[in-house]
Amino acid sequence: MGFYNDVILPRLCDLAMRNKELLPYRERAIRAAEGRVLEIGIGSGRNLPFYGAAVTQVVGLEPGSKLLNMARHAPHRDIPVELVEASAEAIPIESGRIDTVVTTWTMCSISDVDRALAEVRRVLKPSGKLVFVEHGRAPEPRVQWWQDRLTPAWRRISGGCHLNRDIADVLRRNGFHVEEMRTGYMNGLKPMTFMYEGLASPR
């Protein structure tokens, strides 16, 4: 799987993130970012063009070197951008230094999501916020049945992506207060398209 993970998968991830159906979600999320921003799983940098004047810096965290190289060429406004090759489970930033953490279609593929969210809480200022757009567990039992059965195989071909993570539950059990959340399906196959988007703050 080395060649697939190192060469093919980054290109597939970038292609998937070009989907025009994702643009409204992406725009709404990035519009809520302000101050010093940490983007977890910046990927190929598809969010960078949307950061506006309320943002003073973007620190983009990405464990994949190929995707990080793509992000270096992504267009963006005149905002300082620092790209860091690192894992969300061990964020190389001092505690309490981040105003906004952004995750877009990221929590599904983090191996230890609980540890990653503990790190997010650590680096956020007490007044900070987590802005998220994620796909995950659907409310209908029939869709959940498919998500649970597809996830083991899906993880192997999609860089660890879980179709069946309940994002609201993941946030709450890791000490976040969900202040705003919208859910619903976007166009596509239901096991892969139930969306959670909103805003959470550390408790």
Side-chain angles (χ1 to χ4, degrees):
M1 295 287 285
F3 179 79
Y4 177 80
N5 286 332
D6 294 341
V7 179
I8 303 299
L9 186 59
R11 294 177 182 176
L12 290 178
C13 289
D14 178 57
L15 183 63
M17 289 296 102
R18 292 175 188 236
N19 184 348
K20 291 182 180 179
E21 296 278 347
L22 306 181
L23 282 176
Y25 296 93
R26 200 184 294 283
E27 290 173 344
R28 286 192 294 268
I30 303 308
R31 193 184 306 136
E34 58 187 356
R36 190 180 187 211
V37 173
L38 170 65
E39 183 173 337
I40 303 287
I42 197 168
S44 57
R46 293 285 159 191
N47 289 336
L48 285 174
F50 299 98
Y51 287 105
V55 172
T56 58
Q57 182 189 19
V58 177
V59 180
L61 201 71
E62 173 57 49
S65 60
K66 297 288 186 184
L67 285 169
L68 208 60
N69 286 335
M70 294 181 199
R72 290 191 176 97
H73 301 287
H76 60 84
R77 292 180 176 149
D78 189 20
I79 298 168
V81 175
E82 179 184 358
L83 300 175
V84 180
E85 186 174 346
S87 164
E89 290 98 332
I91 299 172
I93 294 176
E94 295 178 11
S95 300
R97 301 297 296 275
I98 296 296
D99 297 294
T100 308
V101 171
V102 171
T103 73
T104 56
W105 303 286
T106 300
M107 291 188 210
C108 62
S109 59
I110 298 174
S111 297
D112 190 342
V113 71
D114 294 334
R115 183 175 173 185
L117 286 172
E119 281 286 273
V120 167
R121 289 186 66 209
R122 179 184 66 77
V123 301
L124 273 173
K125 295 177 180 178
S127 59
K129 59 187 176 182
L130 168 63
V131 178
F132 61 90
V133 180
E134 302 288 343
H135 73 102
R137 193 162 189 82
E140 297 93 342
R142 181 171 179 79
V143 180
Q144 292 175 358
W145 186 92
W146 279 107
Q147 288 178 319
D148 290 339
R149 279 149 187 81
L150 289 171
T151 289
W154 183 251
R155 284 175 59 194
R156 288 196 290 272
I157 64 172
S158 63
C161 175
H162 296 70
L163 299 172
N164 57 355
R165 279 189 174 157
D166 185 326
I167 300 303
D169 176 68
V170 166
L171 290 170
R172 289 173 180 136
R173 76 172 186 244
N174 283 288
F176 283 89
H177 171 64
V178 178
E179 297 183 11
E180 301 174 14
M181 187 166 67
R182 298 171 295 280
T183 60
Y185 292 100
M186 63 174 258
N187 291 333
L189 298 173
K190 281 192 169 184
M192 300 172 184
T193 59
F194 188 75
M195 296 292 170
Y196 297 75
E197 58 174 322
L199 176 67
S201 58
R203 288 199 293 252

